[in-house]
Amino acid sequence: MEIVDPTSVTAIVNVGDDTELHGLHISPDIDTVTYTLADAIDPDRGWGLAGETWNAMGLLDRYGNPTWFNLGDQDLATHIVRTERLRRGEPLSSVTAHLAASWGLTCGVIPVTDDPLRTMVTVEGTQIGFQEYFVGRQHDVAIEAVRFDRVETTTPAPGVLDAIASAERVVIAPSNPVVSIDPLLAVPGVREAVAARRDAVAAISPIVSGAALKGPAARMLDELGEEASAVGVAERYAALAGTLVIDEADADRRSEVEATGVRCVVTDTIMRDVERASALAKVAVA
């Protein structure tokens, strides 16, 4: 929020990673976005809350409950409130707005859909939930396919399509294209809404020098038969984004990126600190 008025920003967030554990509805991407914007994220892990403790996990382990997915003591309060309100019939978008406001956020944080949507990953011939692949198996097994369960019956959450249509600039964040961005675009109407704004859309490549800065994005692209590079990202987003921002390390591939039909902007995309993140945001919205 160093570059633009927070009240003018809307984050549309993936819910394909959502899961239920210990009777609680967990929304990892929503919580990571909320905690990050609230400057409360654990900077070392990149998820969960700073200063977290894990006493509840210790007791769950004692009682024989599965503890492969860590939930911090403070973080549990978020999941308890979310689950309680969902069970009362409140839509996820409304619950998310309440939680974001409770953290003092003035920007919009909207799940892409209020409907059930789950990312399923095929490994060794078997479909498993995304969290079992990513956390349970530490994403240490080759993927064969990715599917978004029940996406056909979803509709965009209130405000999603309006935010895309009215935005001065739409930014596709440098998240994993396969399991963070594709679930958003798979919700009926969202891909079309983004494509309709193509000239105003800037995507930021999550791949630098053929590798992801964090997580298995490059390996997943490779395992699915796509080129894990800035060029591969350009090919994936060419119909959606008029501009692709790539890192200085990939400057030599600029002409290849532009050959896909997108404008290429070269800058430092590695957000090592607030200053560099702000500089990248300035480029993306310019």
Side-chain angles (χ1 to χ4, degrees):
M1 303 308 175
E2 305 284 328
I3 303 302
V4 296
D5 178 1
T7 62
S8 71
V9 175
T10 300
I12 300 171
V13 188
N14 169 42
V15 296
D17 297 1
D18 285 20
T19 191
E20 186 168 305
L21 290 167
H22 316 298
L24 299 174
H25 184 110
I26 317 296
S27 295
D29 279 11
I30 290 174
D31 293 341
T32 295
V33 168
T34 300
Y35 295 160
T36 299
L37 292 173
D39 198 26
I41 198 85
D42 184 296
D44 297 321
R45 290 193 308 268
W47 56 269
L49 288 159
E52 190 60 276
T53 55
W54 310 93
N55 298 308
M57 285 290 103
L59 273 178
L60 285 169
D61 185 54
R62 178 185 290 269
Y63 295 146
N65 279 40
T67 56
W68 56 269
F69 191 99
N70 275 328
L71 298 171
D73 298 329
Q74 299 177 86
D75 194 33
L76 277 168
T78 300
H79 310 312
I80 290 169
V81 171
R82 176 185 295 115
T83 304
E84 179 184 41
R85 295 175 80 110
L86 288 173
R87 286 177 181 166
R88 291 205 304 256
E90 193 171 342
L92 182 61
S93 54
S94 175
V95 178
T96 301
H98 167 74
L99 293 170
S102 298
W103 280 101
L105 300 185
T106 57
C107 60
V109 180
I110 310 178
V112 67
T113 182
D114 284 327
D115 302 313
L117 166 63
R118 298 293 178 266
T119 298
M120 305 297 294
V121 181
T122 301
V123 298
E124 299 173 336
T126 302
Q127 271 193 25
I128 61 176
F130 175 78
Q131 295 301 344
E132 183 181 343
Y133 158 76
F134 188 73
V135 181
R137 303 199 188 188
Q138 294 293 297
H139 52 81
D140 195 27
V141 57
I143 65 169
E144 298 154 16
V146 175
R147 183 175 69 86
F148 307 119
D149 189 41
R150 293 182 283 183
V151 70
E152 302 85 0
T153 61
T154 64
T155 57
V160 167
L161 297 184
D162 287 343
I164 295 170
S166 63
E168 183 176 337
R169 173 70 68 187
V170 178
V171 177
I172 300 177
S175 300
N176 187 315
V178 179
V179 293
S180 292
I181 303 300
D182 266 6
L184 303 173
L185 299 171
V187 173
V190 173
R191 180 180 290 273
E192 294 80 4
V194 175
R197 298 297 317 283
R198 184 179 182 274
D199 289 345
V201 178
I204 302 172
S205 176
I207 307 297
V208 177
S209 295
L213 297 177
K214 180 182 177 184
R219 197 176 74 242
M220 293 181 88
L221 288 169
D222 184 62
E223 290 166 356
L224 292 173
E226 299 183 41
E227 181 180 344
S229 70
V231 178
V233 173
E235 291 171 344
R236 176 173 267 267
Y237 289 149
L240 300 172
T243 301
L244 181 68
V245 181
I246 70 172
D247 192 74
E248 294 164 340
D250 292 314
D252 61 334
R253 306 206 67 179
R254 180 173 191 160
S255 60
E256 293 174 83
V257 168
E258 291 182 334
T260 68
V262 303
R263 174 174 176 254
C264 183
V265 175
V266 179
T267 191
D268 181 2
T269 64
I270 302 175
M271 294 178 278
R272 300 178 182 87
D273 49 42
V274 172
E275 289 72 23
R276 288 183 175 87
S278 297
L280 176 59
K282 187 177 294 186
V283 169
V285 302

